[in-house]
Amino acid sequence: MYAKVIGHTRYNFPDLKTLLARASPARSGDRLAGLAAQSEEERVAARMALADVPLSAFLNEALVPYESDEVTRLIVDTHDSGAFAPVKSKTVGEFRDWLLSDEATTEALARVSPAITPEMAAAASKLMRNQDLIAAARKITVVTKFNNTIGLPGRLSVRLQPNHPTDDPKGIAASIVDGLLYGSGDAVIGINPATDNVASVTNLLLMLDAMRRKWKVPTQSCVLSHITTTLRSMEAGAPVDLVFQSIAGSEAANASFGVDLALLRQAREAALGLNRGAIGDNVMYFETGQGSALSANAHHGVDQQTMECRAYAVARVFKPLLVNTVVGFIGPEYLFDGKQIIRAGLEDHFCGKLLGLPMGVDVCYTNHAEADQDDMDTLLTLLGVAGCNYIMGVPGADDVMLSYQSTSFHDALYLRGVLGLKPAPEFEAWLTSMGILDSAGRVRPRLANPAAAALLTFDGLS
């Protein structure tokens, strides 16, 4: 039992998962699940009580039963007790203060990261203002490699997302060329396929691989099919760089996606066996999002942000190249408006990086949410300051296949420009050699280099 008295009112919280839920900032998903604080006073009481909880309590009280959930078993069985020593004696409040202190350097945070459980990260974030989430995340560096290097300080990468409602090669090719000429695509050129079958996915992979090889683009490609389709495509000889899969924070939620830890291991081993990375072997790409476990009725009474953090425990054991929280994609039932989306994006980015993940954020919303592009501009800018590894690049910021609003190639240029950020170093060198960037690192207003102009001939068919 956890309790806190405010004035003449005593607030009781029977267990850790109730305490975490009541301490969460207001969001529609927790209210939908009946987990949210009933008043702002109760929320404050929960945060005060949470601040006094020892970090070690999270090692002794499982939010989701160990016996029935493989994600819980993964969290418990892989905990690094040695790395935990520097923070073992701290309460959640003291841990939050340490994260924001000068003692918590980039190196110190990297050392302690393997010992931080998702629940510890979520708890600390619930005691933080937005500026705290930004300040702490900015100190954390997570670098990954495949055909280029992602996550270096002073760099911002972009996933070029050339989706098409019918997987038309010409339409996809037009979006790819558009993105490359705006300096996007260093995180990955990643297509969400309209048709998820081996033949269609293999054709898209062959097209991407041919384009990348012809122009020697130092990036990686991915078709975001279900992991079983990707496995069958690899077996058929398809040129798979990255294996994609959506994941969540409980065994039951992952089962709703048609995956488990064993399948993820199998796919990673298959991708490693292809040995396609020029400079690294981070072969996995995961997407997550607050509310996914709740939408599958697989949240076990745990608040949606803590469940999101548990997905990061799944991700980190597979050493991914990219992890992306698609923060506003699930809809207003889980994040109602711009304020909730902004807060969730900053939470996810901080917690993921604290757990050692190469975090990107799809700064996005659905058309029926109480949000607009001004809200996304705000979140985009805050994430840039916080050191986000990568964002999305969608033509016009409007995904015509998935029917949601994201960020554009122009938005990436804005963020790189105002914060002095550069693409991945290998990709930057390629952009310069192609004459797409000028000597000052700016995208040229018109093409002068014949090599770059030749990109305009790519139609996805040849």
Side-chain angles (χ1 to χ4, degrees), residues 110-285:
R111 287 193 296 269
V112 81
S113 177
I116 305 305
T117 69
E119 293 83 359
M120 293 175 193
S125 73
K126 294 175 194 297
L127 304 184
M128 290 178 158
R129 294 168 57 185
N130 286 0
Q131 68 172 243
D132 299 334
L133 297 170
I134 294 167
R138 186 175 177 82
K139 295 191 289 185
I140 304 170
T141 299
V142 182
V143 178
T144 54
K145 298 182 179 184
F146 190 76
N147 285 327
N148 59 20
T149 308
I150 299 171
L152 292 169
R155 306 277 175 173
L156 174 72
S157 294
V158 183
R159 170 189 161 187
L160 202 170
Q161 186 168 308
N163 296 343
H164 192 278
T166 64
D167 289 338
D168 178 67
K170 287 188 175 182
I172 291 171
S175 294
I176 291 174
V177 172
D178 190 25
L180 290 174
L181 295 180
Y182 278 106
S184 291
D186 50 338
V188 63
I189 301 175
I191 303 171
N192 295 91
T195 304
D196 193 330
N197 62 54
V198 173
S200 177
V201 167
T202 298
N203 286 336
L204 291 174
L205 286 166
L206 288 169
M207 179 185 75
L208 290 174
D209 191 58
M211 180 278 302
R212 190 177 63 79
R213 289 180 182 278
K214 181 175 182 178
W215 280 285
K216 298 180 174 60
V217 188
T219 188
Q220 36 282 328
S221 62
C222 183
V223 176
L224 284 71
S225 57
H226 190 269
I227 196 168
T228 53
T229 306
T230 305
L231 270 168
R232 291 197 299 271
S233 298
M234 282 192 279
E235 291 166 359
V240 173
D241 288 344
L242 305 183
V243 174
F244 166 82
Q245 183 55 48
S246 295
I247 56 172
S250 73
E251 180 176 345
N254 283 324
S256 75
F257 290 143
V259 300
D260 58 20
L261 298 180
L263 182 59
L264 295 174
R265 291 189 190 98
Q266 178 188 351
R268 180 173 182 266
E269 290 303 313
L272 287 172
L274 297 180
N275 196 30
R276 290 178 56 83
I279 63 171
D281 62 357
N282 299 118
V283 296
M284 302 299 285
Y285 174 13

Side-chain angles (χ1 to χ4, degrees), residues 94-113:
E94 291 168 342
F95 181 52
R96 175 260 184 198
D97 292 345
W98 179 79
L99 289 168
L100 295 169
S101 73
D102 291 338
E103 293 178 29
T105 61
T106 298
E107 296 74 20
L109 289 164
R111 287 193 296 269
V112 81
S113 177

Side-chain angles (χ1 to χ4, degrees), residues 345-413:
L346 295 176
E347 289 170 346
D348 294 352
H349 177 251
F350 160 72
C351 289
K353 287 185 78 175
L354 181 59
L355 291 172
L357 292 178
M359 288 302 295
V361 179
D362 192 342
V363 179
C364 64
Y365 64 101
T366 57
N367 291 319
H368 61 310
E370 291 294 323
D372 59 27
Q373 212 64 38
D374 286 337
D375 296 314
M376 299 306 102
D377 286 350
T378 299
L379 178 54
L380 175 68
T381 306
L382 295 175
L383 287 167
V385 175
C388 189
N389 278 25
Y390 71 102
I391 60 169
M392 303 298 113
V394 178
D398 184 358
D399 193 301
V400 295
M401 195 278 278
L402 294 174
S403 297
Y404 79 116
Q405 309 304 311
S406 185
T407 46
S408 70
F409 308 136
H410 300 79
D411 293 330
L413 289 183

